[in-house]
Structures are given as structure tokens and as C-alpha cells.
Amino acid sequence: MIAHRFLLRASLAAVQAFVWVFIFHMAFARTGDAGYALASAALLYGLSHLATIFLTPLAARLLGLGAVRMMAYGVLVFAAALVFWGEAFSGAGMFLDADLVLGAILFGAFRALYTVPYALARTERGAVSLGMEIAISLVPAGAGFLIASVILAPSQLLFVGTGIIAASLALLTGLPEYRERYAWEYRAVFGELFEPRQRRLVLHTLGRGIESAALFFLWPLAVFSFVLSYATLGLMMTASLLAILAVGFARARFSTFAPLPLSHAGAAAAGWILRMAAFEPISLVLVSVYAPLSASEGLGSIAQVESAENSTYLDEHSALKEVAHSLGCLAVALLIAIAANILSLTGVFITAFAVIAFIAGFAAYHEHASTSRGRMVELLQ
């Protein structure tokens, strides 16, 4: 199980860091229109999360067939997505746009299908070493170097990832099967999104989804549009992942430390405001390190799903959170697609980062305010 997760997460880390930039780059090369290219990447990213939204409740209902079997189906779907994308980027297919669309839908289906059974997730948490986490975080930098050095083309990177994923699938054989119960009907998840008792959970997760999309979709596109370097992009993504890893380690060691809500809100917003002024490679990397350190609490756990840095199991409330998270990502995608048709490329990024800075600060303030109230109640009891 550990070897399977390591191979899958390493492949996903490389793909998630570059695939949307590949789409942007290919669309720009075909049309010469940066706004069109950005809107195309945003719409495909949104389509991917739309697939996740509609397929997550269905995947949860199918857990009775066996959670390990569903993991295997998810891995196969992920491999198929990479094949379609790889074919599109190689220019060998007859229907390049269809390949991109199918790849996006299948990637969203992978997120819905691939859920680690609780028993296996608990075992993995006890066995994964810090060295493995660091190794996975270094994957984007290595992939960016290979592409920048013309050792691998984008399509070849995806085909290599397909091979690694196939190897990880073989490692699932022999695992004991787990059948987990899921009580909600398909439409119940969407109904729960609007229930007053779920409002806090939904809004909180929606905000995390917005930050996650900004960190792992919008920010890489902004970096690439400014420096046009896959090596710098890979280094930036590795810096972000290592920073998130450091945040998780620090919070585990110093969980009793609670900054004032207002100061934490300012720090969370500052990470996105600084992105507006980062144009040189070194400043891009430094901001990529600072921003996760200042992000709202919990961004690591949610954003890590975007970058293969988390293992999850699926129950009713985790399905609800997955849908809300994807809704946040979809909202960012639609915002970018609309803005790309109105503003310049720089204007799109500045506007988006300003909006996300406000959301991040607002979410951080209320999250820490509620956490502080909860700790005060515990002390008084």
C-alpha cells in the first residue's frame, strides 16, 4: 500500500504541477491569443471539477462494491486521462480538443473514484516517512528541469506518468477488500449543501477550495506567463509543497499556539497580495514559500488533495466536503474564464489575486476566531 501510494502521489504531483500550464501553452501556440489560452485552461479545469461534483456522490454509493476495487478503477481512469492528454500534447491525435476535454473529465472522475479506505489510510499515516514526503515534493522541480532541458517533452512526461501509474496499480493486488457503508442517496449531498446545519462546514470548505485552485491552478499559470520557464515553475511548485510540509510539521509540534484572528487574517491575505508584485524568478520562489506559511489553517490538508499530498477516505460528510471543495475550484475557474475575455492577462491575475486575498483573510479571521472561542469554552469547562 505504501509503495502504491508513493508512486501514485509522485505521478500526480508532476501532473498537477504542469498539465494546466501545458494546456495554456498549447492553446497560446495555436492561436497567439493569451486571453483565449487562459480561458481555455480555466474552462477545462472547471470541467474537471464539475465532473468531480457530479460523480462523487455516485462513487460513494458504489463503495459497497469494495473500496480497494474503487481505488483500482480510479487509477485506471487517471491513466486514461494521461493517455488522452499525452496524445493531445504530442499532436498525434485527430481530435486534439476532444482529447483535452476527455482528459479533464476523466481526471475529475479520478478524484471522485479514488478514495483510500479508512483502515488503510490509518496504516499509511503511521508508515509514511518525512523522507518520502520530501521526495514527492521534489518531483515538480525534477520534472520542470527535464522539460526545460528538452530531455522530456510534455507528452512524454505524461506517458512516463502513465507507466508509473500502471506500476502502482499492480501493487494494489493482494490488499484485503473493504466495504464501507454510505447512507445518503445521490441527491442528498446536493441538498445538504443548503442545509443550515451544514452552512459553516460548506462555506469553510468552499473557501479552502478557492484557495486551493488559486495555489495549484492560477498561481502556476501566472508564474509561467511571466517567466516562460518550466524549470522555474517546477522549482516554485516544489517550494510551495515543501512550505506546506513545513506548516504541517510545525502545527503538529506547536498545536497550542494560536495567533490573534486579525493578525492571522492579515498574514493570509498578504500571501496573495505579494503575488501581485512578484515578477522575477527569485521573488516568485520566495513568495511561493511565504504564501503557504501564511495561508489559512487547514489549507495544507485541502490544497494537498490538489497536489497528491493527502490520503482520504469517503463518508457522508467527506463527500459533502469534496463537493464543496470542487465548487470553490469551479468558482475560480469561471471567474478566470470570464475575466480573460474582458481584461489583459496581467489584469486577470491582479484582479483574481485581490479577490482571493480578501477571501483568504476573511476565512482565516473567522476560522481562528471560532477556534479561539472553542478553546476558551474548553478552558472554562
Side-chain angles (χ1 to χ4, degrees), residues 4 8 11-12 67-85 102-115 158 161-173:
H4 159 76
L8 183 73
S11 299
L12 190 54
V68 175
R69 179 183 296 183
M70 296 299 291
M71 288 173 63
Y73 291 159
V75 171
L76 287 172
V77 167
F78 183 25
L82 295 193
V83 169
F84 279 114
W85 275 335
L102 285 172
I105 293 173
L106 290 172
F107 191 52
F110 158 72
R111 279 194 298 263
L113 290 170
Y114 188 88
T115 55
L158 295 180
T162 304
I164 295 174
I165 291 167
S168 76
L169 180 62
L171 296 173
L172 283 178
T173 59

Side-chain angles (χ1 to χ4, degrees), residues 367-378:
E367 185 169 356
H368 276 262
S370 62
T371 301
S372 300
R373 286 194 297 269
R375 286 174 177 166
M376 182 64 70
V377 170
E378 290 177 359

Side-chain angles (χ1 to χ4, degrees), residues 350-366:
I350 290 177
T351 300
F353 289 146
V355 172
I356 293 165
F358 173 79
I359 293 173
F362 184 80
Y365 176 83
H366 281 275

Side-chain angles (χ1 to χ4, degrees), residues 16 19-20 23 38-52 85 100-101 104-105 107-108 111 208-218 221 303 306 325-334 336:
Q16 190 65 41
V19 69
W20 308 113
I23 292 172
L38 183 59
S40 297
L43 289 175
L44 286 172
Y45 180 78
L47 178 63
S48 173
H49 280 282
L50 191 63
T52 301
W85 275 335
L100 292 175
V101 169
I105 293 173
F107 191 52
R111 279 194 298 263
R208 289 184 179 185
I210 291 172
E211 287 192 76
S212 175
L215 185 61
F216 291 101
F217 169 72
L218 184 60
L221 286 171
E306 286 285 319
H325 171 265
S326 286
L327 282 171
C329 295
L330 178 60
V332 172
L334 293 176
I336 299 306

Side-chain angles (χ1 to χ4, degrees), residues 72 226 244 317 338 357:
F226 290 138
I244 288 175
H317 284 87
I338 294 171

Side-chain angles (χ1 to χ4, degrees), residues 304-357:
Q304 285 165 358
V305 176
E306 286 285 319
S307 59
E309 289 299 301
N310 198 25
S311 59
T312 60
Y313 61 96
L314 194 62
D315 59 15
E316 289 80 5
H317 284 87
S318 61
L320 179 64
K321 288 193 289 185
E322 182 65 34
V323 170
H325 171 265
S326 286
L327 282 171
C329 295
L330 178 60
V332 172
L334 293 176
L335 171 66
I336 299 306
I338 294 171
N341 288 286
I342 302 173
L343 305 173
S344 67
L345 200 63
T346 302
V348 171
F349 292 132
I350 290 177
T351 300
F353 289 146
V355 172
I356 293 165

Side-chain angles (χ1 to χ4, degrees), residues 1-3 5-6 9 115-130 132-133 180 252 301 304 309-314 318:
M1 177 63 182
I2 301 302
R5 289 286 296 158
F6 177 78
R9 292 170 63 199
T115 55
V116 180
Y118 176 72
L120 294 181
R122 184 175 52 189
T123 302
E124 182 192 17
R125 281 194 293 270
V128 173
S129 66
L130 179 62
M132 291 175 63
E133 299 292 341
E180 300 185 1
S301 62
Q304 285 165 358
E309 289 299 301
N310 198 25
S311 59
T312 60
Y313 61 96
L314 194 62
S318 61

